Amino acid sequence: MKAPRVTLDQWRTLQAVVDQGGFAQAAEVLHRSQSSVSYTVARMQEQLGVPLLRIDGRKAVLTEAGEVLLRRSRQLVKQASQLEDLAHNMEQGWEAEVRLVVDAAYPNARLVRALTAFMPQSRGCRVRLREEVLSGVEDVLKEGTADLAISGLNIPGYLCTEMSTVEFVAVAHPDHPLHRLQRELSFQDLEGQMQVVIRDSGRQQPRDVGWLGAEQRWTVGSLATAASFVSSGLGFAWLPRHLIERELKDGLLKPLPLDQGGSRNTRYLLYSNKDKSLGPATQILAELIRRFDAAPLDAPFAAPPAPNGES
């Protein structure tokens, strides 16, 4: 890639000439001599090989090519400024990236609110979001490849903050044989039916959380796949209520009338990497996660405006 012939300073000078309406006005704003500003723009045109400005009376007016190039240059100068700001923030201890690993059963709606509120405060910090199932979150945290982790499991050796609970409901299609019994169901009724379970993404100590020892078991890779299977009449499963509200409303799923254990609540916990101190961006995101975790999912929420009025 060849080096650009025109510098950012030259693009800034051209922008000042256009925005201020002339060379003299631009020179005053830039605290430079008018001859220096005129030479900079003339040199730009020579380097680019196209005329950028024409003089109309006492005013500098963009040519058609100048309009196109100036429009593109504004984005270029803006990105350069953002890059310099990011470097400054990193020098002050601000992270370039926050790594967040989340159990797939945790409500996405809460995360969306927290991340939306984080954006205008992020100072260019990226968020790397990773979804895991059950002990997969623990593996990632212990590997040191996550700054924050949300899990429904107690992870030994780590301090945590308690968050909200997620209700898991035993469900099946309304035409499933279990519903056709038309009575309260027991553990023995479930044993003879196929259960759909979610594969634990952990590699160290994967767990069969929720499996009742049914003779037939189908293991799938995601909650969405499990919900799709069970909604189609294939087996029964315990699924997060917030993920299947539409299926329940549309009559594709129906809670099983179990004599006990038809629903269970899992408490989610927020962990942080214990081997490194939390940077300012990570602390802000952790606080926002806690704040929006405590807010009702149906509470009104407006995304904060983008900085500097950008859209």
Side-chain angles (χ1 to χ4, degrees):
M1 183 183 295
K2 64 180 182 179
R5 289 173 290 183
V6 178
T7 66
L8 289 172
D9 180 67
Q10 288 175 300
W11 286 119
R12 288 190 180 101
T13 302
L14 176 65
Q15 291 172 14
V17 171
V18 173
D19 294 343
Q20 301 303 318
F23 292 94
Q25 298 92 321
E28 184 176 348
V29 169
L30 296 172
H31 305 291
R32 291 162 58 180
S33 67
Q34 182 174 341
S35 60
S36 171
V37 172
S38 299
Y39 174 79
T40 297
V41 175
R43 180 63 177 155
M44 277 185 73
Q45 296 182 105
E46 179 184 330
Q47 290 170 311
L48 293 171
V50 293
L52 303 174
L53 294 172
R54 58 182 175 82
I55 304 302
D56 186 359
R58 294 187 176 182
K59 190 173 182 180
V61 180
L62 283 168
T63 64
E64 185 174 339
E67 287 182 359
V68 174
L69 292 173
L70 180 68
R71 186 166 59 249
R72 295 288 295 272
S73 78
R74 291 190 188 278
Q75 187 65 23
L76 179 67
V77 171
K78 176 183 174 183
Q79 290 175 344
S81 296
Q82 291 173 339
L83 189 61
E84 292 172 1
D85 289 343
L86 179 58
H88 173 72
N89 292 331
M90 291 173 67
E91 182 188 12
Q92 302 300 312
W94 198 269
E95 309 93 299
E97 179 178 83
V98 176
R99 301 164 300 173
L100 172 63
V101 58
V102 181
D103 188 285
Y106 184 76
N108 265 338
R110 299 193 189 280
L111 283 180
V112 167
R113 291 182 170 202
L115 292 172
T116 301
F118 178 70
M119 280 187 64
Q121 305 181 56
S122 65
R123 301 189 192 179
C125 175
R126 300 188 305 267
V127 174
R128 186 183 296 273
L129 177 62
R130 178 171 173 177
E131 281 192 328
E132 297 286 342
V133 177
L134 296 172
S135 70
V137 175
E138 180 178 352
D139 284 0
V140 174
L141 186 62
K142 288 184 173 180
E143 288 167 1
T145 52
D147 301 304
L148 297 172
I150 298 175
S151 174
L153 302 176
N154 289 309
I155 302 178
Y158 286 81
L159 297 176
C160 64
T161 300
E162 286 195 355
M163 300 205 298
S164 61
T165 61
V166 170
E167 181 187 8
F168 286 76
V169 186
V171 291
H173 189 276
D175 293 332
H176 189 277
L178 287 170
H179 281 302
R180 290 205 295 267
L181 293 174
Q182 296 186 346
R183 60 171 171 79
E184 193 174 64
L185 302 176
S186 67
F187 173 81
Q188 288 71 27
D189 292 320
L190 300 182
E191 279 188 310
Q193 299 294 328
M194 186 182 77
Q195 182 180 357
V196 178
V197 296
I198 318 301
R199 180 181 63 84
D200 188 331
S201 62
R203 299 182 303 279
Q204 302 301 319
Q205 293 181 319
R207 310 175 191 185
D208 286 322
V209 175
W211 180 47
L212 293 180
E215 291 183 11
Q216 290 181 298
R217 177 178 69 166
W218 282 11
T219 303
V220 298
S222 71
L223 290 161
T225 300
S228 177
F229 278 24
V230 179
S231 297
S232 300
L234 295 173
F236 70 94
W238 270 264
L239 296 171
R241 182 179 289 275
H242 67 88
L243 282 179
I244 57 171
E245 286 179 343
R246 181 177 295 276
E247 288 83 354
L248 290 170
K249 183 178 179 180
D250 293 344
L252 295 173
L253 289 176
K254 183 178 178 182
L256 292 171
L258 290 168
D259 56 359
Q260 58 180 343
S263 72
R264 61 173 184 265
N265 290 301
T266 296
R267 172 75 62 184
Y268 279 81
L269 308 165
L270 177 63
Y271 295 92
S272 61
N273 189 325
K274 66 177 182 179
D275 296 321
K276 57 179 289 191
S277 58
L278 298 186
T282 306
Q283 293 181 47
I284 290 173
L285 181 56
E287 174 56 32
L288 290 171
I289 288 172
R290 288 190 289 265
R291 181 192 309 173
F292 288 102
D293 174 80
L297 281 173
D298 57 356
F301 171 72
N308 301 323
E310 299 164 13
S311 57

